[in-house]
Amino acid sequence: MRIKSRWHKNGQSKSMQQVASVMAFIVWRVAQNALKRMQNEQYDIDPGPQYFAFLAELLIFLIQIADRIAYQRLDAGQRSEFTSALAIRVAEILDENASDLLGSPQTGSHRERFIALLNELAADYAEFKYTDAGPEFAFLRYLGNRVMATMAQKDRPWVIDQIMSLEAPEAIATVQKGMHDLFDCWTEKRVIKS
C-alpha cells in the first residue's frame, strides 16, 4: 500500500496537530485496506455496524502502535499532544463515515463511542510491550481476539490467524513507515527553523 508521508519541501515547520492529522489519514487508509483485504479473502464484513466495529478495533490498535512510536521519538508533552490529536482526528473521520452510512446514533455520536472504546482499551493495550522490532505476540493476539468478536460465527475460527499473520504485520509496517517519515521531516524542519 502506498501512502504519502512526506511534506513538500517548502521549508515551513508543521505543528503537531498537522502531523497528527496526516497520520490519522494514513491510519484510516491502512485500516480500510485491511478490511478490503479481509473481504477479498471471503470474510463476511458487510457495510453496517459490523463494518464499523471491525474498523474501530483496527483503528484503536493502530493508534496504539503510533503512540508507542511517538513514545520513542517525542518528549512526554509532544507525545500527549500528538496522540490526543491523532485519536480525535481518527474519531472524526470514523464519525463522518459511520454517520453517512448508518445515520446518527440515538444517543451520543459515533465519535464519542469511538473515543470511549479507545479509552477503555488503552489500559489493556498498555500492558503489552512494543520494541523496535514491533509489538509482542500478546499485543497482536489481543487485537485478533477483539476483531474475532466482531466477525460472523463462520469466520471466527480463522480470523485470529489472518489478523496476526497477515493484516496486522502489513498495517504495522505501513504505520511505522508513515510515522518515521513524518517525524523525520518534522524534526528536520524544526532544526532548520531554529
Side-chain angles (χ1 to χ4, degrees):
M1 177 179 168
R2 294 183 62 202
I3 57 168
K4 182 176 177 171
S5 56
R6 292 259 175 209
W7 300 107
H8 294 289
K9 297 192 185 243
N10 60 8
Q12 296 178 352
S13 65
K14 304 297 182 197
S15 71
M16 193 57 69
Q17 293 276 346
Q18 290 171 308
V19 173
S21 183
V22 171
M23 199 61 223
F25 180 72
I26 291 170
V27 164
W28 176 257
R29 286 211 35 227
V30 168
Q32 279 191 310
N33 187 57
L35 187 144
K36 287 175 186 168
R37 286 171 35 131
M38 295 281 290
Q39 288 173 323
N40 289 339
E41 292 296 324
Q42 305 307 310
Y43 287 92
D44 287 335
I45 308 171
D46 297 323
Q50 179 203 16
Y51 180 95
F52 288 101
F54 177 96
L55 275 178
E57 293 297 341
L58 207 51
L59 291 167
I60 289 168
F61 172 79
L62 295 174
I63 289 169
Q64 298 301 317
I65 296 298
D67 178 61
R68 299 300 180 89
I69 296 167
Y71 174 78
Q72 296 171 337
R73 305 277 309 253
L74 303 172
D75 66 37
Q78 292 169 329
R79 175 191 178 200
S80 177
E81 181 183 358
F82 169 79
T83 302
S84 294
L86 173 64
I88 289 167
R89 184 64 190 127
V90 168
E92 290 168 352
I93 296 169
L94 179 76
D95 185 67
E96 291 166 14
N97 285 273
S99 295
D100 286 348
L101 186 64
L102 305 175
S104 297
Q106 290 183 352
T107 59
S109 67
H110 299 290
R111 177 185 185 273
E112 292 168 342
R113 290 179 179 187
F114 177 79
I115 294 293
L117 183 60
L118 173 65
N119 289 335
E120 177 186 328
L121 298 182
D124 293 341
Y125 276 115
E127 298 295 319
F128 305 124
K129 291 183 175 68
Y130 180 92
T131 65
D132 289 338
E136 68 177 339
F137 179 84
F139 206 134
L140 297 173
R141 180 90 178 158
Y142 185 73
L143 170 66
N145 284 313
R146 295 288 309 174
V147 168
M148 184 179 70
T150 71
M151 302 301 289
Q153 193 64 40
K154 74 170 190 66
D155 292 329
R156 289 184 178 186
W158 301 279
V159 73
I160 292 176
D161 187 51
Q162 177 80 19
I163 291 293
M164 291 180 66
S165 301
L166 300 170
E167 304 309 328
E170 183 172 312
I172 292 164
T174 305
V175 168
Q176 287 172 332
K177 180 185 181 330
M179 289 285 291
H180 291 294
D181 288 351
L182 286 171
F183 282 129
D184 286 349
C185 288
W186 180 74
T187 303
E188 288 169 13
K189 296 212 184 296
R190 290 178 56 87
V191 169
I192 290 168
K193 189 176 180 184
S194 297

